[in-house]
């Protein structure tokens, strides 16, 4: 029996597919004695990452379903049915015309288990732990100028290349980079701090992180502290580099806040 796993990571644009292969199913075996192997179809970091999820999280789910199937065989057929084992034709094997119902039934259960859980929505919800991210950066500008870079629609459009829809008020929503980043403002304390609900497009629909931006005047510059909680563990490095790549560095380059003096 084999089934296909399909899913995406936060860094992949296309579906990543793989296979789960199950052999040696027999009423004489326990679920632990069944051979379950996983196979990634292409090389690459994201393929390897998703393959690890399939191997560590979904293959055990398949073993649970196989265990139920073996119990079905033992209860319904007793010793009359032994499915072909690995490398053999089996003993008293069920003729092919009577086999599809049982095999297709178990395959359907596996498809429901594997395919649904290998999509980003289910995989991230069920198998991924959440973590916290803290970043600090310094900008050569006044505190109010940097603060405006996170609430002013025109400023945000400038450093996001026009891809920014912003309603900068409490409960107001924002959509950045063509919807890649979305969320809402929870609290805005002028010049001091901003709190947001923040999510990346590949996260499950009900998953949001919490972002707190704090602005500190150091005299010669403004220090920005960012604390983001509720970040999926698998997405941590992508989000960490994303803040620098899409927010901090463009702000400095667009407005000249990386060099000079106040």
């Amino acid at each position: 029996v084999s089934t296909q796993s399909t899913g995406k990571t936060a860094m992949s644009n296309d579906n990543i597919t793989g296979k789960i292969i199950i052999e040696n199913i027999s009423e004489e075996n326990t679920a632990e004695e069944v051979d379950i192997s996983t196979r990634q179809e292409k090389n690459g970091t994201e393929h390897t990452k998703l393959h690890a999820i399939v191997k560590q999280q979904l293959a055990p789910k398949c073993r649970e379903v196989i265990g139920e199937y073996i119990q079905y065989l033992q209860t319904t057929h007793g010793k009359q049915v032994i499915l072909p084992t690995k490398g053999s034709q089996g003993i008293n094997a069920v003729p092919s015309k009577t086999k599809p119902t049982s095999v297709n039934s178990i395959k359907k259960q596996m498809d429901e288990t594997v395919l649904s859980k290998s999509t980003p929505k289910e995989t991230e919800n069920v198998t991924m732990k959440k973590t916290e991210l803290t970043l600090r950066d310094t900008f050569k500008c006044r505190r109010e100028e940097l603060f405006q870079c996170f609430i002013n629609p025109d400023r945000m459009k400038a450093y996001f290349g026009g891809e920014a829809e912003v309603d900068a008020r409490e409960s107001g929503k924002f959509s950045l980079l063509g919807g890649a980043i979305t969320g809402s403002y929870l609290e805005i304390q002028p010049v001091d701090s901003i709190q947001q609900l923040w999510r990346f497009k590949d996260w499950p629909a009900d998953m949001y992180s919490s972002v707190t931006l704090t602005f500190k005047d150091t005299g010669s510059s403004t220090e920005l502290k960012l604390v983001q909680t509720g970040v999926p563990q698998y997405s941590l490095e992508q989000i960490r580099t994303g803040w620098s790549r899409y927010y901090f560095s463009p702000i400095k380059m667009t407005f000249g806040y990386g060099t000079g003096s106040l």
Side-chain angles (χ1 to χ4, degrees):
V1 178
S2 66
T3 188
Q4 185 181 63
S5 62
T6 303
K8 290 182 179 180
T9 68
M11 293 292 290
S12 65
N13 294 322
D14 301 320
N15 284 334
I16 298 175
T17 59
K19 286 186 177 180
I20 296 180
I21 302 170
I22 303 173
E23 301 177 289
N24 209 30
I25 303 174
S26 169
E27 66 173 358
E28 293 187 337
N29 291 338
T30 64
E32 288 71 24
E33 293 173 318
V34 173
D35 296 329
I36 300 180
S37 59
T38 60
R39 182 184 304 165
Q40 68 183 75
E41 297 185 346
K42 294 182 180 179
N43 294 323
T45 301
E46 301 308 309
H47 288 264
T48 301
K49 185 184 298 183
L50 194 62
H51 177 247
I53 296 172
V54 172
K55 184 176 182 179
Q56 296 171 10
Q57 303 293 335
L58 303 187
K61 294 293 183 181
C62 290
R63 193 175 298 279
E64 292 179 10
V65 176
I66 291 298
E68 295 176 2
Y69 182 53
I70 290 175
Q71 289 181 358
Y72 163 78
L73 289 178
Q74 294 171 340
T75 302
T76 305
H77 298 287
K79 296 296 183 179
Q80 297 179 358
V81 178
I82 301 178
L83 294 183
T85 58
K86 186 176 181 180
S88 72
Q89 296 299 314
I91 302 173
N92 297 328
V94 178
S96 59
K97 66 178 182 179
T98 63
K99 198 165 48 174
T101 299
S102 297
V103 173
N104 288 342
S105 175
I106 191 65
K107 188 176 186 299
K108 180 179 178 181
Q109 292 181 58
M110 287 165 48
D111 286 343
E112 291 172 351
T113 299
V114 177
L115 295 181
S116 65
K117 286 182 171 56
S118 59
T119 62
K121 179 176 181 180
E122 292 297 332
T123 299
E124 292 158 14
N125 243 348
V126 174
T127 69
M128 291 301 174
K129 294 182 179 180
K130 296 180 182 180
T131 188
E132 179 177 310
L133 172 66
T134 300
L135 297 174
R136 287 182 173 85
D137 207 339
T138 301
F139 298 78
K140 288 288 186 177
C141 64
R142 294 177 177 84
R143 188 165 59 151
E144 56 269 24
E145 292 175 324
L146 183 59
F147 187 86
Q148 288 295 318
C149 290
F150 292 88
I151 63 169
N152 185 292
D154 292 333
R155 286 199 165 218
M156 296 183 74
K157 286 179 181 179
Y159 69 82
F160 275 115
E163 295 186 290
E165 299 177 12
V166 182
D167 182 8
R169 56 179 175 171
E170 293 183 5
S171 299
K173 299 183 183 300
F174 58 84
S175 177
L176 311 172
L177 297 174
I181 298 169
T182 56
S184 61
Y185 291 90
L186 295 177
E187 184 178 42
I188 300 175
Q189 295 290 336
V191 186
D192 290 327
S193 64
I194 298 171
Q195 293 185 27
Q196 301 174 332
L197 284 178
W198 191 103
R199 60 172 274 101
F200 190 71
K201 67 176 181 179
D202 283 347
W203 294 0
D206 59 348
M207 179 180 289
Y208 282 83
S209 66
S210 176
V211 171
T212 300
L213 301 166
T214 306
F215 304 82
K216 180 181 179 181
D217 185 353
T218 65
S220 60
S221 60
T222 298
E223 181 185 88
L224 173 64
K225 178 182 178 182
L226 180 149
V227 177
Q228 186 170 7
T229 60
V231 178
Q233 182 70 48
Y234 77 94
S235 191
L236 180 61
E237 289 307 313
Q238 181 208 18
I239 300 304
R240 184 194 305 276
T241 59
W243 279 106
S244 177
R245 180 179 300 172
Y246 299 113
Y247 285 85
F248 301 166
S249 293
I251 287 173
K252 292 178 179 180
M253 293 179 63
T254 302
F255 304 110
Y257 293 165
T259 58
S261 58
L262 299 181

